[in-house]
Amino acid sequence: MNYFDAHTHTFSKEENVLSVVNKFPVSENFSHPFSIGIHPWFIKVKTLNTEFTVLEEKIQHKNCLAIGECGLDKLTEVNFQTQKEVFVTQIQLSEKYKKPLIIHCVKAYQEIIEFKKTLKPKQVWVLHGFNKSLQLAESCLKNGIILSFGKAIINRNKVAEVFKKLPLNAILLETDNNDVTIFDVYKKASEIKNIEVTELQKQVEQNFKNIFI
Ligand SMILES: [Zn+2]
């Protein structure tokens, strides 16, 4: 493998790509490496118990590399307190089964950092799709949260500038909804860092393996 995609919703058929494909409790195919979680957008109180039962069973599947995406989103209509409770339960599962956590966060960075500080989890937390300021990035890193970058480093100069300033051992790369390829993301990331793609590959592979394998 040369390319590591920390968060995507589509399995890659490319032989040199290892991706963590996001699954939900209702998903059916678990034949490739995956993460599984209850996304804040899709929390339904009525079916939560059943979903947690499925989740806990699938976490023990040999292809499960992480819990998530899960997290907090202030732009969704789901009650924020409920989101917090569902997130905390997934943090506990991450600790119980010793799997890293992949986090979805919209306008709730302080809350995520607060949970990290108070719960002091042993497992790695990966904040996916990071596209915010350098100050926020540094605050996450200071609290031991790994940042995963995708299309925003291609489409947004400000995010590319943030990425440029971060240490390579604290980042991962991803495609998420696949409007970019993992090859595009690596190419752009190596340009921003002004290093060869092969050098970037080595570092990201090491990060990925430290966290997921
Ligand atoms: Zn996603």
Side-chain angles (χ1 to χ4, degrees):
M1 300 294 169
N2 309 111
Y3 294 89
F4 294 83
D5 186 344
H7 178 73
T8 177
H9 291 261
T10 317
F11 173 70
S12 169
K13 291 190 188 76
E14 304 282 349
E15 269 179 21
N16 56 350
V17 179
L18 176 57
S19 40
V20 183
V21 181
N22 189 86
K23 299 284 176 185
F24 304 106
V26 292
S27 300
E28 280 171 0
N29 183 352
F30 294 91
S31 56
H32 302 287
F34 66 88
S35 69
I36 183 162
I38 301 175
H39 193 292
W41 294 353
F42 307 127
I43 295 171
K44 287 187 199 73
V45 176
K46 266 188 185 171
T47 54
L48 259 182
N49 277 343
T50 324
E51 295 213 348
F52 272 122
T53 307
V54 176
L55 186 60
E56 192 156 0
E57 177 204 319
K58 293 299 179 195
I59 288 168
Q60 299 171 69
H61 191 291
K62 65 177 181 7
N63 291 335
C64 179
L65 300 185
I67 316 284
E69 58 186 304
C70 58
L72 302 173
D73 190 325
K74 285 195 178 159
L75 294 185
T76 187
E77 300 210 326
V78 175
N79 177 280
F80 196 63
Q81 185 55 35
T82 308
Q83 290 188 41
K84 282 184 171 175
E85 288 164 18
V86 172
F87 182 47
V88 168
T89 306
Q90 292 179 94
I91 296 169
Q92 290 162 346
L93 287 170
S94 150
E95 293 295 301
K96 179 176 176 187
Y97 291 99
K98 299 189 167 53
K99 304 272 183 197
L101 200 64
I102 297 175
I103 299 170
H104 166 102
C105 175
V106 176
K107 295 189 184 294
Y109 290 88
Q110 290 323 317
E111 285 86 346
I112 299 279
I113 290 173
E114 212 43 53
F115 274 130
K116 185 77 165 58
K117 281 183 179 166
T118 50
L119 299 176
K120 299 184 177 63
K122 289 197 174 68
Q123 300 307 307
V124 176
W125 287 17
V126 176
L127 220 158
H128 103 83
F130 191 82
N131 60 6
K132 297 296 173 200
S133 69
L134 181 62
Q135 193 193 2
L136 192 55
E138 285 173 340
S139 167
C140 289
L141 298 192
K142 201 180 82 191
N143 286 287
I145 299 172
I146 299 286
L147 301 176
S148 178
F149 288 85
K151 69 174 174 196
I153 62 166
I154 298 175
N155 300 341
R156 292 168 57 184
N157 287 339
K158 274 191 177 169
V159 182
E161 280 304 308
V162 172
F163 181 77
K164 190 186 176 99
K165 297 196 174 83
L166 300 180
L168 269 181
N169 63 4
I171 59 99
L172 288 166
L173 299 173
E174 65 172 65
T175 56
D176 196 8
N177 282 321
N178 281 31
D179 21 14
V180 287
T181 69
I182 195 66
F183 310 116
D184 299 333
V185 178
Y186 268 73
K187 184 166 177 288
K188 180 69 182 186
S190 69
E191 286 166 13
I192 295 168
K193 286 287 188 187
N194 201 16
I195 56 174
E196 295 293 326
V197 174
T198 48
E199 196 188 332
L200 177 73
Q201 282 173 326
K202 267 190 226 154
Q203 181 70 59
V204 176
E205 176 170 2
Q206 203 183 329
N207 300 347
F208 187 96
K209 288 183 173 169
N210 286 344
I211 296 167
F212 293 111
I213 299 172

